[in-house]
Amino acid sequence: MKNISDEVISLEEAKAALRCMRLSDLSEEESLESLDLFIQRLRKVTTANLVSDIIENELTETQRDFIREFWYHGKTTSQIAREHGVSQAHAYRTVERANKRIKELMTALIKYQQDLTDVTLSPLNLKELTMISAARNSNTEELCAALKNLRISNAVPAEELADALNISVSELKKTETGQKLPSLTVLLKYSAIFGTEITITIINGRSICKCKKA
């Protein structure tokens, strides 16, 4: 196992890791495993914030508007084209140029984050970063979508969260897709796990959910 002692970490990461160790009742080996996972997630989230910065500061105004709608709001290029009164081909090219620009700026950083013997850019890593960025910037209000965004924005794998919630992965997926509403017990666990205040308002059968750091 490549453990925490093999890597260089920031002071903030070390402090956060030590807090986690104090709260746990794990063996040294289990603690190192947990800290590795925690720091990997922390770095993914931090790196994903750079994607948001690139969108805000390095794209043209049109690219910024289109990529926000494409990533953050899940619109297709045909929907974007209709709403902006442009051709679908133009919307597609704009999104592609924006994606290319983001990839160019992120490539060197993603390589640095990986093992130095692996210099091949992994599309999966970039995709994961964009998913985290989208989840953190989404204005989704529906309860199930908000809970899914909460997991993704913190870079927590579905299997790990399901285990922490004491539910099956299939039940978690049903919750995140709106097929099953979470119980109050599960919502309390969500709040505790992510240190988040979850506020739910139900109006005419529709849930409006707000999640913010407690």
Side-chain angles (χ1 to χ4, degrees):
M1 181 194 76
K2 184 177 181 181
N3 62 46
I4 194 66
S5 60
D6 297 324
E7 300 195 18
V8 177
I9 64 173
S10 70
L11 179 61
E12 290 76 14
E13 288 174 333
K15 287 180 178 178
L18 286 172
R19 283 197 297 272
C20 290
M21 279 192 73
R22 293 192 188 103
L23 292 171
S24 64
D25 184 21
L26 304 174
S27 67
E28 181 178 345
E29 182 70 14
E30 290 172 328
S31 296
L32 289 174
E33 292 273 8
S34 298
L35 295 181
D36 277 344
L37 292 173
F38 171 76
I39 288 174
Q40 287 170 21
R41 287 201 301 269
L42 184 61
R43 286 182 172 173
K44 285 177 184 177
V45 173
T46 302
T47 308
N49 288 337
L50 296 178
V51 174
S52 301
D53 289 341
I54 290 172
I55 291 173
E56 294 304 315
N57 302 307
E58 302 294 337
L59 302 183
T60 67
E61 183 177 354
T62 301
Q63 287 175 342
R64 184 166 59 246
D65 291 343
F66 282 22
I67 208 70
R68 281 174 179 165
E69 294 178 25
F70 184 76
W71 277 354
Y72 298 170
H73 307 302
K75 295 181 182 178
T76 64
T77 51
S78 59
Q79 289 175 312
I80 294 171
R82 285 196 301 272
E83 293 176 9
H84 288 267
V86 299
S87 68
Q88 183 175 350
H90 174 73
Y92 177 81
R93 286 195 300 270
T94 300
V95 169
E96 282 296 293
R97 289 193 190 102
N99 277 327
K100 182 179 179 181
R101 178 61 174 159
I102 293 168
K103 184 174 181 179
E104 287 172 348
L105 293 172
M106 293 299 297
T107 296
L109 181 59
I110 293 173
K111 285 180 180 178
Y112 177 75
Q113 294 278 3
Q114 295 184 17
D115 190 306
L116 295 179
T117 61
D118 177 14
V119 295
T120 303
L121 172 66
S122 170
L124 177 62
N125 281 8
L126 183 58
K127 181 179 179 182
E128 185 175 17
L129 293 179
T130 57
M131 287 175 62
I132 295 170
S133 176
R136 294 178 71 83
N137 288 278
S138 175
N139 61 357
T140 300
E141 293 185 329
E142 295 290 346
L143 172 60
C144 294
L147 294 179
K148 180 179 180 179
N149 280 352
L150 188 60
R151 175 180 67 78
I152 293 175
S153 65
N154 285 279
V156 178
E159 294 79 7
E160 186 177 330
L161 180 58
D163 185 58
L165 294 172
N166 197 28
I167 61 176
S168 66
V169 174
S170 61
E171 184 175 346
L172 177 63
K173 289 181 177 178
K174 287 179 180 178
T175 297
E176 292 188 344
T177 55
Q179 299 176 56
K180 175 182 175 62
L181 288 176
S183 66
L184 178 58
T185 300
V186 168
L187 285 175
L188 289 171
K189 288 181 180 178
Y190 263 100
S191 178
I193 290 168
F194 295 108
T196 303
E197 177 184 314
I198 301 176
T199 305
I200 305 171
T201 304
I202 301 176
I203 303 175
N204 294 327
R206 177 174 175 265
S207 64
I208 299 175
C209 179
K210 293 183 180 179
C211 300
K212 66 178 182 179
K213 281 295 180 182

